[in-house]
């Protein structure tokens, strides 16, 4: 059976984490680690055995008598058995994994190398331990309270020798290291001790060790004591001695025992503790070394300290010396807490950064800590056509109000839509325990019941219409948005419309990346009492040569259609009308539109509608081609280039319409022409005004 020996200087464990029964592990713990782990047990009396392959520790394991590196990688099942002196047994196990990562190609690799092969990093009080800023660290046992990497330092007076677990987190690589920091006192005390022929036990008991001397205490007679003497240490005493063989001139030596002192505890602003002696200036202090089996360095003052992010409590036995002679020990309790609470946890009913519905947010801190919350004012998202994340600079810069402590360690709030646009909300929270403040938790969200997303290449099984999980077909859009009154649909890629859909919702369709709306042979949009606005998109249809009856792309009834900065191409097998309108409004601007058919083609066929076409290029080609055919209503056509081609055609045919055509260019390539043909036909009930128009081919 193998044995591993590790002699600890002072093995003080201040926090234990029971797994099973009374076997308390400081290391290792369950998890996946990027370096080999040490085995450290807060051991009681008895024998310990361990195995690292899941086998019976007593039969096939190793004897444990101190911290040892577990030199294994992969998936590990650690088993430990404890046999008490009375024969009672108990066992415990830990399952963990080691997947080595030396930190290659990182700036923090030199720090990892300091503990990677041994699992242990030695530290001397007063020196600086620099944890790289690229990492987060947490000291002690779970729950972890991670802090940004920084310079750590213990007071140079600290005498605590401890094993401190340290967990490092690389958030970008999603890996964790776990190792042990062993702290030592700074070796800067006095080592010399005075040799006297007596010793003192527990302050008031004097042992006379050298039988070759005569002794006396204070003004007593000289004697050769054969038993220890007890004295009152509330006052000072003098112990004198001389050689038993009396001769004239024999030297008489003496030692003054000062009055028994008290320990004075001073707590510094940084939380560290400094112990001094309230008494004779000849007193010094020391801490017992289990390694040397003795008190070693003597100090006029000693301290206790922990790293920022750690806490410790316990009993400190301080050996007291007067003029380098041991007098007894004084016991003091200490507690130092520099461990910030775990940062508050946020739970939200929203599944992503964008939410359709009202959002319920809950913030909770570790029980027993104080919770502080700061909220931003609800604000309308600037440039709502953009896609934001919680890290978008314009949103990160929105301030929160003052932090206020909530009455309990939990807080909840409901956020909902505001008006018709997306609303942004943000909260920041931290927890406080005494003077220790946790890292801040920030949570933000956009509540938007009108903004939806489409991406032809997204996963249809996850489709929710959000920026993270866009719709993948138009049927999803229509079905999910029937109850929504106003919708902004941001389209990426090709949006197929292969059936006739009635839109009762007000739609705004915006290009979100090469947006193209494609109508199949049976596809079309019917608007009844609603509006459709399309911006910056390509629009086209697919022709079915076997279907001689073509369906309009857009059919309007008491509705509004707006096309801005769009490109539209429409082909029909025989007869075709792109936009069919009744008692509606049509707005076309800054667009390029082309309609083609064999027999008859028109862009707009309208009744009792209001038409506005500005700064666009429009062409219609068929045997009979007409751009606008309108009966009653209004028409404003300004600054466009309008072309017709085929056997015969006109720019517009207006019946009972009030119309204004200004600064347009009319072009015609017609086979059947006469000198009297006009680009715009008007009947007697039409009020027609035109100016600045230029004609080619008419």
């Amino acid at each position: 059976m193998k044995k591993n020996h590790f002699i600890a200087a002072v093995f003080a464990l201040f926090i234990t984490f029971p797994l099973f029964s009374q076997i308390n592990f400081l290391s290792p713990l369950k998890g996946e680690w990027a370096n080999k782990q040490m085995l450290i047990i807060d051991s009681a009396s008895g024998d310990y055995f361990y195995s690292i392959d899941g086998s019976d520790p007593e039969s096939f394991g190793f004897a444990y008598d101190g911290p040892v590196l577990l030199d294994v990688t992969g998936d590990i099942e650690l088993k430990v058995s404890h046999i008490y002196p009375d024969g009672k047994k108990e066992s415990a196990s830990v399952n963990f994994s080691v997947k080595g990562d030396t930190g290659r190609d990182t700036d923090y690799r030199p720090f990892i190398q300091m503990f990677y092969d041994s699992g242990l990093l030695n530290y001397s009080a007063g020196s600086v331990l620099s944890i790289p800023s690229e990492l987060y660290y947490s000291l002690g046992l779970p729950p972890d309270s991670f802090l940004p990497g920084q310079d750590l330092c213990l007071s140079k007076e600290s005498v605590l020798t401890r094993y401190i677990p340290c967990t490092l987190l690389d958030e970008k690589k999603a890996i964790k290291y776990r190792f042990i920091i062993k702290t030592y006192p700074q070796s800067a005390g006095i080592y010399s001790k005075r040799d006297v022929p007596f010793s003192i036990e527990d302050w008031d008991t004097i042992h006379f060790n050298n039988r070759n001397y005569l002794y006396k205490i204070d003004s007593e007679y000289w004697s050769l004591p054969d038993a220890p003497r007890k004295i009152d240490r509330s006052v000072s005493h003098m112990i004198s001695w001389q050689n038993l063989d009396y001769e004239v001139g024999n030297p008489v030596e003496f030692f003054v025992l000062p009055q028994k002192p008290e320990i004075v505890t001073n707590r510094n602003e940084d939380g560290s503790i400094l112990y001094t002696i309230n008494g004779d200036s000849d007193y010094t202090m020391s801490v017992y070394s289990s390694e040397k089996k003795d008190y070693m360095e003597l100090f006029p003052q000693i301290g206790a300290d922990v790293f920022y992010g750690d806490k410790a409590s316990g009993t400190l036995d301080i050996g007291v010396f007067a003029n380098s002679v041991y007098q007894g020990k004084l016991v003091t309790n200490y507690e130092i807490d520099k461990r910030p609470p775990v940062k508050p946890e946020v739970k939200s009913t929203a599944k992503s950064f964008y939410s359709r519905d009202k959002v319920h947010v809950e913030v909770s801190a570790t029980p027993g800590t104080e919770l502080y919350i700061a909220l931003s004012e609800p604000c309308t998202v600037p440039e709502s056509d953009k896609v934001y994340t919680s890290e978008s600079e314009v949103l990160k810069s929105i301030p929160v109000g003052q932090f206020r402590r909530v009455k309990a360690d939990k807080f909840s709030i409901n956020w909902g839509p505001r008006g018709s646009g997306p609303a942004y909300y943000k909260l920041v929270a931290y927890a406080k325990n005494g003077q220790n403040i946790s890292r801040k938790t920030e949570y933000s969200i956009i509540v938007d019941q009108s903004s939806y997303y489409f991406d032809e290449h997204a996963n249809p099984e996850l489709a929710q219409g959000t920026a993270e999980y866009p719709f993948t077909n138009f049927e999803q859009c229509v079905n999910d948005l029937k109850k929504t009154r106003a919708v902004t649909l941001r389209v990426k890629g090709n949006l197929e419309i292969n059936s006739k859909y009635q839109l009762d919702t007000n739609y705004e369709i915006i290009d979100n990346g090469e947006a193209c709306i494609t109508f199949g042979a049976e596809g079309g949009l019917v608007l009844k009492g609603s509006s459709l606005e399309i911006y910056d998109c390509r629009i086209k249809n697919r022709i079915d040569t076997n279907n001689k009856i073509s369906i309009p792309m857009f059919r309007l009834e008491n509705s509004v259609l707006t096309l801005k900065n769009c490109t539209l191409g429409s082909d029909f097998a025989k007869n075709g009308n792109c936009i069919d309108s009744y008692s509606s409004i049509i707005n076309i601007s800054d667009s390029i539109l082309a309609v083609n058919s064999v027999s008859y083609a028109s862009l707009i066929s309208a009744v009792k509608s209001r038409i506005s076409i500005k700064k666009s290029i429009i062409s219609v080609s068929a045997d009979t081609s007409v751009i606008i055919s309108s009966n009653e209503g209004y028409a404003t056509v300004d600054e466009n280039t309008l072309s017709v081609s085929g056997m015969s055609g006109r720019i517009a045919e207006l019946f009972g319409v009030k119309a204004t055509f200004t600064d347009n260019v009319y072009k015609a390539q017609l086979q059947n022409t006469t000198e009297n043909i006009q680009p715009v036909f008007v009947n007697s009930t039409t009020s027609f005004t035109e100016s600045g128009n230029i004609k080619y081919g008419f």
Side-chain angles (χ1 to χ4, degrees):
M1 183 176 290
K2 297 181 182 179
K3 252 192 168 183
N4 292 281
H5 299 276
F6 192 106
I7 300 176
V10 179
F11 191 25
L13 300 182
F14 305 106
I15 310 172
T16 57
F17 185 68
L19 295 176
F20 299 94
S21 189
Q22 297 300 313
I23 300 180
N24 299 320
F25 288 89
L26 191 68
S27 178
L29 294 183
K30 181 180 179 180
E32 182 177 303
W33 313 108
N35 63 297
K36 297 175 184 177
Q37 298 296 291
M38 292 197 72
L39 173 59
I40 302 180
I41 304 172
D42 183 10
S43 56
S45 59
D47 296 323
Y48 288 83
F49 301 93
Y50 70 94
S51 67
I52 52 179
D53 57 3
S55 60
D56 179 10
E58 293 180 59
S59 301
F60 304 101
F62 304 87
Y64 172 86
D65 57 6
V68 59
L69 178 69
L70 302 176
D71 193 10
V72 285
T73 59
D75 295 329
I76 301 155
E77 182 181 5
L78 170 69
K79 287 188 174 182
V80 175
S81 294
H82 178 204
I83 305 174
Y84 285 90
D86 61 3
K88 176 185 174 184
K89 296 182 180 181
E90 61 184 1
S91 61
S93 64
V94 181
N95 292 297
F96 65 99
S97 297
V98 174
K99 296 182 180 179
D101 191 319
T102 62
R104 183 179 178 181
D105 299 326
T106 66
D107 293 336
Y108 60 74
R109 187 174 188 270
F111 184 78
I112 301 300
Q113 296 304 306
M114 295 172 65
F115 63 80
Y116 189 80
D117 292 327
S118 65
L120 186 72
L121 191 154
N122 293 320
Y123 170 85
S124 178
S127 61
V128 175
L129 177 62
S130 296
I131 297 182
S133 59
E134 299 91 343
L135 299 171
Y136 289 93
Y137 76 96
S138 178
L139 300 175
L141 294 169
D144 288 324
S145 179
F146 284 105
L147 298 168
Q150 57 191 286
D151 289 346
L152 302 177
C153 183
L154 296 180
S155 167
K156 65 180 180 181
E157 287 84 11
S158 180
V159 297
L160 299 182
T161 298
R162 302 175 57 226
Y163 289 91
I164 306 171
C166 180
T167 302
L168 301 179
L169 169 64
D170 183 333
E171 284 191 334
K172 293 182 178 179
K173 296 174 66 175
I175 60 172
K176 289 182 179 180
Y177 301 87
R178 193 171 191 271
F179 65 102
I180 302 299
I181 302 173
K182 185 177 182 182
T183 64
Y184 292 91
Q186 187 183 72
S187 298
I190 301 171
Y191 286 89
S192 62
K193 297 178 184 178
R194 184 174 176 181
D195 187 19
V196 293
F198 62 88
S199 60
I200 303 170
E201 180 185 351
D202 296 329
W203 292 98
D204 57 2
T205 301
I206 310 299
H207 295 267
F208 301 95
N209 302 323
N210 194 330
R211 308 299 295 173
N212 295 318
Y213 290 103
L214 294 170
Y215 300 89
K216 73 172 182 174
I217 299 177
D218 298 329
S219 59
E220 297 177 352
Y221 290 105
W222 293 95
S223 65
L224 183 60
D226 57 1
R229 286 276 307 277
K230 284 190 174 292
I231 60 174
D232 178 11
R233 291 302 299 270
S234 65
V235 295
S236 63
H237 299 275
M238 177 183 290
I239 299 178
S240 304
W241 65 93
Q242 63 173 317
N243 199 295
L244 183 63
D245 297 328
Y246 176 77
E247 294 182 6
V248 177
N250 271 0
V252 176
E253 298 185 67
F254 66 90
F255 185 89
V256 176
L257 298 181
Q259 179 183 359
K260 181 180 179 180
E262 294 180 350
I263 292 290
V264 177
T265 302
N266 296 289
R267 189 174 291 272
N268 299 318
E269 290 184 3
D270 64 358
S272 63
I273 299 174
L274 186 64
Y275 299 101
T276 57
I277 293 181
N278 183 16
D280 193 286
S281 61
D282 291 334
Y283 276 123
T284 53
M285 297 178 286
S286 184
V287 177
Y288 187 78
S289 170
S290 59
E291 182 178 0
K292 302 292 185 181
K293 306 298 183 184
D294 197 2
Y295 291 101
M296 302 304 294
E297 303 97 328
L298 307 181
F299 301 91
Q301 58 185 16
I302 61 175
D305 195 11
V306 299
F307 293 120
Y308 177 66
D310 192 19
K311 64 180 180 180
S313 62
T315 299
L316 197 61
D317 295 337
I318 299 176
V320 181
F321 289 74
N323 289 310
S324 300
V325 175
Y326 177 75
Q327 305 292 301
K329 68 179 181 180
L330 298 175
V331 178
T332 182
N333 295 322
Y334 66 91
E335 183 174 358
I336 308 173
D337 188 351
K338 297 184 183 181
R339 183 180 174 93
V342 177
K343 70 177 185 177
E345 180 183 8
V346 176
K347 293 183 179 180
S348 171
T349 56
K351 297 180 180 180
S352 63
F353 183 61
Y354 282 82
S355 176
R356 301 291 176 218
D357 305 313
K358 291 181 179 179
V359 177
H360 180 71
V361 181
E362 291 184 353
V363 185
S364 59
T366 303
T369 62
E370 300 172 0
L371 177 60
Y372 290 80
I373 301 288
L375 301 170
S376 71
E377 292 291 335
C379 63
T380 302
V381 175
E383 299 182 81
S384 60
D385 59 322
K386 290 186 177 180
V387 179
Y388 294 95
T389 69
S390 59
E391 299 301 316
S392 297
E393 287 298 327
V394 66
L395 300 182
K396 292 284 284 186
S397 63
I398 294 176
V400 294
Q402 291 184 342
F403 283 95
R404 299 184 184 276
R405 181 185 173 186
V406 299
K407 293 183 178 179
D409 52 27
K410 291 185 178 180
F411 170 82
S412 63
I413 192 170
N414 293 312
W415 289 332
R418 292 173 62 87
S420 60
Y424 174 74
Y425 299 87
K426 178 167 67 176
L427 70 77
V428 181
Y430 68 83
K432 186 177 181 182
N433 181 9
Q435 299 301 313
N436 300 317
I437 297 176
S438 75
R439 291 169 57 203
K440 290 183 174 65
T441 296
E442 182 174 308
Y443 178 77
S444 59
I445 194 167
I446 292 176
V447 181
D448 186 2
Q449 291 186 325
S450 62
S451 295
Y452 290 80
Y453 296 82
F454 171 91
D455 185 345
E456 66 170 326
H457 298 299
N459 187 340
E461 296 180 358
L462 301 176
Q464 299 173 8
T466 62
E468 294 87 347
Y469 306 111
F471 291 131
T472 57
N473 63 64
F474 192 70
E475 186 173 358
Q476 294 169 341
C477 304
V478 173
N479 291 338
D480 281 19
L481 307 180
K482 284 181 178 179
K483 296 180 181 180
T484 304
R485 185 55 191 158
V487 173
T488 297
L489 181 63
R490 293 176 170 86
V491 175
K492 185 176 184 179
N494 188 40
L495 175 64
E496 293 268 356
I497 300 176
N498 293 315
S499 300
K500 188 184 293 185
Y501 292 96
Q502 179 172 315
L503 303 184
D504 300 315
T505 297
N506 296 329
Y507 268 79
E508 179 185 40
I509 299 179
I510 298 174
D511 172 39
N512 197 36
E514 299 183 359
C516 180
I517 302 171
T518 301
F519 291 89
E522 301 295 328
L525 296 178
V526 178
L527 280 68
K528 289 191 176 182
S530 60
S531 67
L532 174 60
E533 302 175 37
I534 304 177
Y535 298 95
D536 307 310
C537 295
R538 289 186 300 124
I539 305 168
K540 64 179 182 177
N541 70 341
R542 287 198 301 270
I543 190 171
D544 183 356
T545 57
N546 297 320
N547 190 349
K548 305 303 181 181
I549 302 175
S550 299
I551 299 173
M553 286 182 172
F554 306 99
R555 189 182 296 276
L556 316 178
E557 184 176 328
N558 298 313
S559 298
V560 178
L561 173 66
T562 299
L563 303 178
K564 182 176 177 61
N565 198 31
C566 291
T567 301
L568 182 148
S570 180
D571 295 315
F572 300 105
K574 185 175 182 181
N575 300 315
N577 174 33
C578 186
I579 302 171
D580 190 19
S581 173
Y582 176 80
S583 190
S584 297
I585 298 173
I586 301 169
N587 297 309
I588 299 174
S589 62
D590 303 298
S591 298
I592 301 174
L593 302 94
V595 182
N596 301 294
S597 185
V598 175
S599 180
Y600 174 84
S602 72
L603 174 67
I604 298 172
S605 177
V607 176
K608 297 182 180 180
S609 298
R610 184 182 294 272
I611 301 169
S612 174
I613 303 176
K614 296 182 178 181
K615 297 182 179 180
S616 297
I617 301 173
I618 301 173
S619 65
V620 176
S621 178
D623 283 349
T624 301
S625 54
V626 179
I627 294 178
I628 302 171
S629 178
S630 179
N631 195 330
E632 303 184 47
Y634 300 85
T636 301
V637 181
D638 298 332
E639 302 181 59
N640 305 286
T641 298
L642 307 172
S643 304
V644 290
S645 61
M647 297 295 294
S648 61
R650 286 196 174 97
I651 300 300
E653 294 177 343
L654 307 177
F655 304 90
V657 176
K658 186 175 182 179
T660 301
F661 283 49
T662 305
D663 299 327
N664 300 289
V665 175
Y666 304 144
K667 294 183 178 181
Q669 291 183 339
L670 303 174
Q671 298 179 25
N672 297 332
T673 61
T674 66
E675 294 181 357
N676 296 325
I677 191 170
Q678 294 295 319
V680 179
F681 171 82
V682 298
N683 71 350
S684 59
T685 60
T686 296
S687 174
F688 180 62
T689 303
E690 65 174 338
S691 65
N693 299 305
I694 301 173
K695 295 185 267 186
Y696 296 98
F698 286 101

